Amino acid sequence: MIRFLLRFIGLICLAVAFILLIYDGTKSIADHRLYVTKVAEVWATVHETSLTQVRPTLEGLAPWLWDPLATNVLNAPICLVLVIIGTILVLLGRKRRPLIG
């Protein structure tokens, strides 16, 4: 059951990443500029107050969590982040190979 759930969520992440890639591509073609939707933009659109609360929390745990790690993830394209998360979840949920011998 857990494997199914991991694969399902991973495939949903991959599908959303593809949809966002198409969205950025059509927006870029229509305006003749390159548009890339960042993780911070999507997070601010969904729930802005939690985004502002993450920084003090991460800096309280360890200062290195915010500055190099979280800022790089928040400035990354959402398509890339969702593809990485989806791929990891699909790989974690795959069926094990049968043992030979």
Side-chain angles (χ1 to χ4, degrees), residues 10-78:
L11 289 175
I12 294 291
C13 286
L14 291 173
V16 170
F18 181 70
I19 290 169
L20 289 171
L21 180 69
I22 297 298
Y23 173 75
D24 285 343
T26 55
K27 192 174 178 183
S28 297
I29 290 171
D31 201 22
H32 300 292
R33 289 181 45 202
L34 181 62
Y35 285 102
V36 177
T37 305
K38 297 181 181 180
V39 175
E41 295 172 7
V42 174
W43 194 348
T45 302
V46 173
H47 196 256
E48 188 171 355
T49 57
S50 67
L51 180 59
T52 58
Q53 293 172 352
V54 166
R55 182 175 183 164
T57 305
L58 288 179
E59 286 179 343
L61 291 172
W64 57 270
L65 279 176
W66 176 255
D67 190 19
L69 187 67
T71 54
N72 287 337
V73 171
L74 289 174
N75 288 328
I78 188 74

